[in-house]
Amino acid sequence: MATLLHFRDHPYQCQLEAIVTAVDETGVVTDRTLFYPMGGGQPGDTGIFATADGRSLAVTDTRKGEVRDVVHQLAPGHGLQPGDRLTQQLDWSRRWAHMRMHSALHLLSVAVPRGVTGGSIGADRGRLDFDLGELTLDKGELSERLNALVAEDHPITSEWISEAELDARPELVKTMSVTPPRGAGEIRMVRIGGIDYQPCGGTHVASTGEIGVLEVAGIKNRGARNRRIILRFTEPAGGGQP
Ligand SMILES: [Zn+2]
């Protein structure tokens, strides 16, 4: 039975009641979850499972399991059993940083309209690798361009399209290395106002203004044509409004 991905439509929710559906050596599966499982360059969420008998169990990582389950990793000896009720509590400040950086990297793909060959999201920095060819970039100019896109405060929304629709519009896929997951019939698309529209299963902030001020921390050579562009936040996170 697939885990209901509650975070998809409720990325700002930090607390959720859930029921344990499976337990094995890889971790704990619940009927629904607030915890994003590692994927698409975004790390797995961490937080707490508060049990009905008053214990607080640390969730140290979250991964995709089989049959579209989400597996929460907990230290051995947690004692959870199928049927147990618990309250999931997200490490919100970490997740919010991932949401801001994930949205920032979509803006980077707008500012640098070239094929993306890789990427990674962290709580204080993130990166995309591009097949730039002969294009040269200036760190200061790129930082200015990104901060202008942030300041324009474009709304960020998600929608679903069919796999056939995506196949008919291959230009929507910017990542050359990662293809969107197939088999479910539908593909989740993330739209940033009128400036970006691409397949993405990740969590995003509600509008670009929430990302905050960005800086291009580095542009590194990764082979003849490939460049790694590293972003970081230049001000401490304010905490968001869960
Ligand atoms: Zn994405």
Side-chain angles (χ1 to χ4, degrees):
M1 188 177 70
T3 307
L4 178 71
L5 306 181
H6 194 82
F7 57 82
R8 278 248 165 105
D9 293 325
H10 307 277
Y12 286 85
Q13 192 169 327
C14 301
Q15 194 158 311
L16 179 72
E17 310 292 321
I19 299 171
V20 176
T21 55
V23 177
D24 68 14
E25 67 281 358
T26 65
V28 175
V29 178
T30 52
D31 61 334
R32 61 192 60 202
T33 190
L34 285 183
F35 288 69
Y36 180 83
M38 183 179 82
Q42 184 173 334
D45 279 329
T46 58
I48 297 286
F49 280 179
T51 65
D53 59 0
R55 293 178 302 142
S56 286
L57 306 170
V59 177
T60 55
D61 200 356
T62 308
R63 300 295 175 93
K64 289 176 182 161
E66 290 174 12
V67 291
R68 291 189 284 136
D69 275 340
V70 172
V71 180
H72 309 85
Q73 297 183 352
L74 285 81
H78 55 71
L80 291 171
Q81 298 289 337
D84 286 355
R85 289 174 182 276
L86 51 81
T87 303
Q88 299 181 342
Q89 297 167 355
L90 206 55
D91 179 342
W92 170 251
S93 63
R94 180 172 177 272
R95 152 68 92 68
W96 188 58
H98 292 160
M99 286 163 57
R100 292 165 61 217
M101 184 53 75
H102 199 147
S103 299
L105 292 179
H106 280 219
L107 290 186
L108 180 60
S109 78
V110 172
V112 182
R114 290 290 191 276
V116 174
T117 57
S120 171
I121 293 159
D124 54 1
R125 40 180 71 206
R127 62 170 171 82
L128 286 181
D129 297 340
F130 290 91
D131 180 5
L132 275 194
E134 299 303 310
L135 183 69
T136 55
L137 292 169
D138 177 82
K139 274 201 304 192
E141 281 174 20
L142 187 54
S143 298
E144 271 180 38
R145 171 90 178 108
L146 288 169
N147 286 316
L149 293 171
V150 167
E152 288 164 13
D153 203 19
H154 300 277
I156 305 179
T157 54
S158 65
E159 58 205 75
W160 295 85
I161 64 171
S162 69
E163 290 177 356
E165 206 175 335
L166 185 66
D167 289 340
R169 299 177 65 189
E171 73 280 5
L172 294 177
V173 180
K174 295 184 173 187
T175 49
M176 302 160 74
S177 54
V178 186
T179 52
R182 295 298 177 119
E186 298 238 290
I187 302 278
R188 184 173 183 260
M189 302 292 294
V190 169
R191 184 186 293 281
I192 304 184
I195 61 172
D196 189 48
Y197 184 59
Q198 60 176 299
C200 180
T203 56
H204 288 266
V205 289
S207 70
T208 62
E210 198 176 323
I211 293 169
V213 181
L214 290 167
E215 178 181 59
V216 176
I219 300 176
K220 293 180 179 170
N221 283 351
R222 302 283 294 176
R225 298 173 55 88
N226 276 273
R227 300 289 179 275
R228 171 164 293 179
I229 303 179
I230 302 157
L231 299 186
R232 69 170 175 223
F233 301 123
T234 62
E235 52 193 15
Q241 77 287 4

